[in-house]
Every structure is written in C-alpha cells, then in structure tokens.
Amino acid sequence: MIKEILQIGEPVLREIAQEVEDIHCQEIQNLIDELLDLTLKSHGVGIAAPQVGISKRIIVVASHPNIRYPDAPFMSPFAMINPLIVSHSQEIVIKEEGCLSVRQKRGMVARYRDIEVEYFTRDGQWHRKQYNNFIARIIQHELDHLNGILFVDHLQEDLMSEAQLKLDKSLI
C-alpha cells in the first residue's frame, strides 16, 4: 500500500523510470489503482509512479476541477503506460503549475500547447492520441517525472512573483 507522495529531494524523483514489461501483472494493476486513488485524494490532476517511489513508466491523468485547479476540465481519470510524445505543436503556452511532490510551490512553466502521445492503457491497448491545452500540460508534467525532471527545473523565473522567489530561496 502506498502511504505518501515523495517530496523533492528524494533520489527516485531524479531517476529515469523503467519501462513496464508486463502490463497485466497484478502488481502493476494494483499500482495503477493506488495512483488513481491517491491523485483524487490529494486534489491532484495527475501523478507519476516515481512520485510514490516506484521507478516505472506509468502516469495517471485525472483532470477535474478541485481546490488546486478550479478551472480544470473534467475527464474520466486514466493511466498511460510507457507513454511517449511523438509530435507536438510549435506553439508554447506559459501557465502556472504546481506539483504534489513540491508542496507549497507554484510557478510559470512553458509547455507545448498540443501534443501527440503513444501509450498503452491498463488493459494493454495501444493508443496514439492528440491532447491539447490543460490536458497536454498535465501529460508533459507527468512525463517529466518519468525522466527525472521536476517542474521547478522549468520555471520561468522572470515571470515569477516576488513571493515565489522568496520561497525558492527558503528551499536552498
């Protein structure tokens, strides 16, 4: 059972996650269930397996309006296994992000507006699908976790507020 979401400073958050080889094994299916549950309980819109200490290429996308993202569009939560961005738009959008693994911090991050992703579903079905705007942002954020990258690595400091900069300095 997963007890908590790991916080910045944990080494696994900086590792490149391993591909999932057996999607149907009970351990992977249980992990997906726990990630889905934890995302909703934490008022998140996504989570990646490394955030709970499991170095596997699994993300959950669970966009819904909540206290952290009141304007988030609603969609049924789903898992992406071994996801890969295969194309993206040239348009970049800079918006505020936060992270369940970096509590009390938000900042402006540049992301592609539109992406096309290949991935497997939890039942082993292969998909190639386009996503845009907020959902594309979630996916890019979570894919970063699979590559050992945190949103703070992308912060657009020139666009950050004075309060956010003070918080940065207090973390050092």
Side-chain angles (χ1 to χ4, degrees):
M1 166 132 309
I2 296 169
K3 294 181 175 33
E4 66 182 320
I5 298 169
L6 299 179
Q7 295 302 299
I8 190 170
E10 291 288 337
V12 70
L13 293 175
R14 294 301 190 169
E15 296 174 6
I16 295 176
Q18 302 297 310
E19 287 211 3
V20 174
E21 293 182 18
D22 184 2
I23 292 171
H24 301 289
C25 85
Q26 196 58 51
E27 181 181 332
I28 295 298
Q29 294 297 314
N30 290 344
L31 174 60
I32 292 168
D33 288 337
E34 291 180 39
L35 290 171
L36 287 162
D37 186 54
L38 189 57
T39 303
L40 297 176
K41 284 182 179 175
S42 302
H43 304 291
V45 292
I47 197 166
Q51 291 180 268
V52 296
I54 310 292
S55 184
K56 293 289 183 186
R57 297 190 76 78
I58 301 171
I59 67 171
V60 162
V61 179
S63 181
H64 64 284
N66 62 61
I67 58 173
R68 294 178 72 235
Y69 297 99
D71 297 323
F74 178 80
M75 64 184 300
S76 295
F78 66 97
M80 292 180 149
I81 301 165
N82 299 332
L84 177 67
I85 294 175
V86 294
S87 67
H88 58 78
S89 64
Q90 294 303 309
E91 185 176 351
I92 301 286
V93 178
I94 299 173
K95 293 268 188 180
E96 187 178 80
E97 287 186 22
C99 181
L100 295 172
S101 289
V102 186
R103 291 197 179 113
Q104 307 302 318
K105 176 136 181 76
R106 298 184 74 76
M108 302 303 281
V109 178
R111 302 273 186 197
Y112 296 112
R113 191 191 72 169
D114 306 298
I115 59 173
E116 187 169 8
V117 185
E118 292 181 348
Y119 63 95
F120 289 94
T121 63
R122 70 180 305 167
D123 62 359
Q125 297 297 311
W126 180 84
H127 286 270
R128 183 176 184 142
K129 192 168 178 186
Q130 293 183 353
Y131 296 93
N132 55 45
N133 301 315
F134 189 70
I135 305 305
R137 178 170 295 276
I138 295 170
I139 294 167
Q140 290 170 82
H141 177 108
E142 301 310 333
L143 275 167
D144 275 353
H145 279 297
L146 302 183
N147 295 314
I149 299 167
L150 297 174
F151 90 101
V152 293
D153 301 332
H154 295 298
L155 288 181
Q156 305 293 307
E157 291 196 28
D158 57 323
L159 299 175
M160 292 172 58
S161 71
E162 185 176 326
Q164 289 167 320
L165 289 171
K166 285 179 185 175
L167 181 57
D168 275 326
K169 290 176 183 164
S170 72
L171 294 173
I172 297 175

